[in-house]
Amino acid sequence: MVADSAMGTSNASAPPPKSHPVKLNTVRVRVPVEDPKTRTQDFKEVIHSYTLEDAVLEAKRCIQCGKPYCVEACPITQDAREYIRLIAERKFDDSARAILTENPLATTLCKVCYHYCEDACVVGKKGVPIAIRQLKRAGLELGKSDLRYVPAPLNGQRVAVVGGGPAGIMAAWELGLRGYEVTVYESQVRLGGQVNTIPRYRMVGPELEQDLDRFQDLPVHFVNSTRVGTDISTDSLIYGGFDAVLLTMGATEHRALGIPGEELPEVYPAFSLLRDVNEVYPPTLGRKILVIGGGDVAMDAARSALRLSGGGEVTVVYRRGRREMPADKDEVHEAEEEGIGFLFQTTPLRILGVEHVEGLELQQTELGPPDASGRRSPRLVPGSQRTIPCDTVIVAVGQRAATEGFPSELELQFGSQGWPQGAGEDFMTHVEGVFATGGRSVVYAMAAGTKAAEAIDAYLARKRGGSPAPRPDPWGAPTPPAKLPRGYGRPTWHLG
Ligand SMILES: Cc1cc2nc3c(=O)[nH]c(=O)nc-3n(C[C@H](O)[C@H](O)[C@H](O)COP(=O)(O)OP(=O)(O)OC[C@H]3O[C@@H](n4cnc5c(N)ncnc54)[C@H](O)[C@@H]3O)c2cc1C
Ligand code: SF4
């Protein structure tokens, strides 16, 4: 990482410029990407950094909106305006610090966030939105980002967090900054949860460790390779010395299709396949691969399978239409650029083969009225069954939480993509002092972690006869940063 302190000065609190650029520049400075023709041969990173001059040019396109749609669309309400302005002024150190003040997993997010902010950016109405995620990356790479967070004095209360994914890590950051002693239990060897399955062509690998390095002085202890519910009991946390417990176990268990043939050896759950690829135990895949599903995991599985197939053919099979496909549109575009095929309005009936996968029986669907998810529900078209040959099937139709060993009294609810959730607004389960939350993307999980931490802070402040505190300044300054950025109206997102 390049840290050029000559570029930055300590001017983070300077007021924003009074005038906006006179002329709107609707053309984005080109983001450097690998050629789609050659990039499928390996797992090397596809998107590269801006140069310093390109970052400054792109940052200057931002019109510093008084009403910041980009901020309202960001689940963690990160004020992108400030760090973009600092980049435009070539103050990279200040920009890195501004980013990290609000966002402790920024090194991860600048590679993998689905950038809801860019979709909302007003410049996008006339041309191409500001490359906010790419500018965040520039701020962190060109500025001094190896900082360390500073906690408030310990307040004597302890919180256990179950699950070291983005929701749990964010909650630990919020609580650790406020002076709670936090222990995070993670069942896997590595922290990060589903982030560890994101392919290396999007996220090289050490990003999360770089983020966690800034936690070193916080009263947060990570206990890896320990599964709550089996290695240690949930009761030992609930009744054994912690003042509150937060469950952020995510959804890491494969959801099967439930069709004949799924037990054949060349049928892979996408989640574990992607984790194995990152842990350098990739299986040898066939040459004609079908991926079932239309979400982001299906796109990652398809693009990874293409890289593993040595010039094979990969097709995504999705039961609804292109418009209904939940995958991020950039991911779909990049998959298409790489030559992945798509079969829309097609549903699998059974996987064919005796000892090995030989084909897939499919049926056409038509779309009926919207279902509970708001998307049009697929109905089978009678007489439209057909078979296509294949030697590998990857199933990417969702995950669910692994709740083995958790007491039924918790009466856990489940979020839209399977993560456990408390019953009410405050995320508390039916057991007092036990909270649960999660999220559908990294930044949504972080936002959920913040909300749960605020609820825990309110609950524990009541218990000690105090009042909940706003997030302290993460660098130890006496005044906490403003709760919401200037001009912020109401969020355009909701946790769900
Ligand atoms: C292949 C893939 C690609 C993705 N790509 C992106 C992307 O590009 N951008 C994006 O924003 N989002 C992406 N996501 C989604 C994102 O990773 C998740 O929404 C997010 O990680 C959810 O965070 P979480 O903390 O709620 O849960 P998780 O990330 O699932 O973390 C939960 C953690 O709890 C641990 N755990 C579970 N049970 C126990 C237990 N009993 N005891 C102890 N520990 C336990 C798990 O091992 C896990 O580490 C992707 C997801 C997948 C699967
Ligand atoms: S909406 Fe776009 S132009 Fe406006 S402040 Fe945000 S990034 Fe800048």
Side-chain angles (χ1 to χ4, degrees), residues 112 114 163 166-167 186-187 193-194 197 202 228 248 250 300 439-442:
V112 304
Y114 295 131
E186 168 53 52
S187 60
Q194 293 171 56
T197 59
R202 296 208 283 126
V228 175
T248 55
D300 284 340
R440 62 184 149 102
S441 67
V442 175

Side-chain angles (χ1 to χ4, degrees), residues 109 111-116 133 161-169 184-188 190-199 202-203 223 226-232 248-252 270-271 274-275 296-298 300-301 331 399 401-404 406 417 419-420 437-446 448:
L109 279 180
K111 301 280 182 79
V112 304
C113 190
Y114 295 131
H115 50 68
Y116 311 100
R133 186 179 72 186
V161 175
V162 181
I169 294 173
V184 180
Y185 294 94
E186 168 53 52
S187 60
Q188 300 294 312
R190 292 184 66 193
L191 294 165
Q194 293 171 56
V195 170
N196 292 325
T197 59
I198 298 177
R202 296 208 283 126
M203 192 178 137
V223 182
T226 304
R227 189 184 182 281
V228 175
T230 44
D231 297 333
I232 56 169
T248 55
M249 291 101 75
T252 50
F271 187 78
L274 289 166
R275 194 163 55 194
D296 294 309
V297 179
D300 284 340
E331 295 291 317
Q399 288 114 235
T403 52
E404 186 203 341
F406 287 84
Q417 285 170 26
W419 64 83
T437 197
R440 62 184 149 102
S441 67
V442 175
V443 75
Y444 269 100
M446 290 168 67

Side-chain angles (χ1 to χ4, degrees), residues 346-413:
T346 307
T347 198
L349 299 180
R350 67 190 166 113
I351 299 164
L352 306 170
V354 183
E355 287 183 3
H356 297 283
V357 169
E358 289 168 20
L360 186 68
E361 190 181 333
L362 307 155
Q363 190 162 1
Q364 208 61 36
T365 66
E366 59 186 7
L367 297 181
D371 61 14
S373 72
R375 288 172 302 163
R376 296 177 66 197
S377 49
R379 291 190 299 231
L380 294 175
V381 176
S384 62
Q385 292 93 326
R386 67 190 167 113
T387 298
I388 51 173
C390 65
D391 52 26
T392 307
V393 174
I394 301 174
V395 180
V397 294
Q399 288 114 235
R400 58 169 162 239
T403 52
E404 186 203 341
F406 287 84
S408 56
E409 304 87 77
L410 291 166
E411 294 186 37
L412 290 172
Q413 321 275 306

Side-chain angles (χ1 to χ4, degrees), residues 42-62:
D42 55 39
F43 279 80
K44 285 200 196 115
E45 201 170 19
V46 166
I47 299 177
H48 297 293
S49 316
Y50 269 149
T51 61
L52 187 151
E53 292 306 330
D54 279 354
V56 171
L57 271 181
E58 178 64 11
K60 284 185 173 167
R61 291 209 305 132
C62 170

Side-chain angles (χ1 to χ4, degrees), residues 246-472:
L246 174 61
L247 308 178
T248 55
M249 291 101 75
T252 50
E253 212 161 73
H254 172 65
R255 203 186 285 273
L257 282 167
I259 59 172
E262 225 172 334
E263 69 292 343
L264 288 168
E266 298 85 8
V267 180
Y268 296 94
F271 187 78
S272 50
L273 174 80
L274 289 166
R275 194 163 55 194
D276 289 351
V277 173
N278 281 354
E279 285 172 8
V280 206
Y281 305 118
T284 310
L285 299 183
R287 307 269 298 172
K288 195 158 172 43
I289 302 166
L290 296 180
V291 178
I292 317 292
D296 294 309
V297 179
M299 293 310 114
D300 284 340
R303 296 177 67 192
S304 296
L306 187 64
R307 284 160 170 78
L308 292 171
S309 71
E313 194 184 302
V314 181
T315 306
V316 172
V317 177
Y318 180 53
R319 63 196 182 125
R320 293 183 167 96
R322 174 186 286 271
R323 201 181 302 167
E324 289 76 23
M325 202 160 60
D328 177 61
K329 58 180 185 326
D330 289 354
E331 295 291 317
V332 179
H333 172 69
E334 285 173 20
E336 281 181 322
E337 270 187 339
E338 291 174 4
I340 308 275
F342 287 83
L343 281 178
F344 293 110
Q345 290 187 223
T346 307
T347 198
L349 299 180
R350 67 190 166 113
I351 299 164
L352 306 170
V354 183
E355 287 183 3
H356 297 283
V357 169
E358 289 168 20
L360 186 68
E361 190 181 333
L362 307 155
Q363 190 162 1
Q364 208 61 36
T365 66
E366 59 186 7
L367 297 181
D371 61 14
S373 72
R375 288 172 302 163
R376 296 177 66 197
S377 49
R379 291 190 299 231
L380 294 175
V381 176
S384 62
Q385 292 93 326
R386 67 190 167 113
T387 298
I388 51 173
C390 65
D391 52 26
T392 307
V393 174
I394 301 174
V395 180
V397 294
Q399 288 114 235
R400 58 169 162 239
T403 52
E404 186 203 341
F406 287 84
S408 56
E409 304 87 77
L410 291 166
E411 294 186 37
L412 290 172
Q413 321 275 306
F414 294 92
S416 61
Q417 285 170 26
W419 64 83
Q421 208 160 255
E425 287 273 290
D426 67 355
F427 303 94
M428 208 190 286
T429 65
H430 282 80
V431 174
E432 198 197 313
V434 182
F435 299 75
T437 197
R440 62 184 149 102
S441 67
V442 175
V443 75
Y444 269 100
M446 290 168 67
T450 289
K451 296 254 174 243
E454 286 170 351
I456 291 172
D457 184 38
Y459 168 74
L460 293 182
R462 268 196 312 278
K463 270 179 92 173
R464 64 174 186 265
S467 46
R471 180 195 296 158

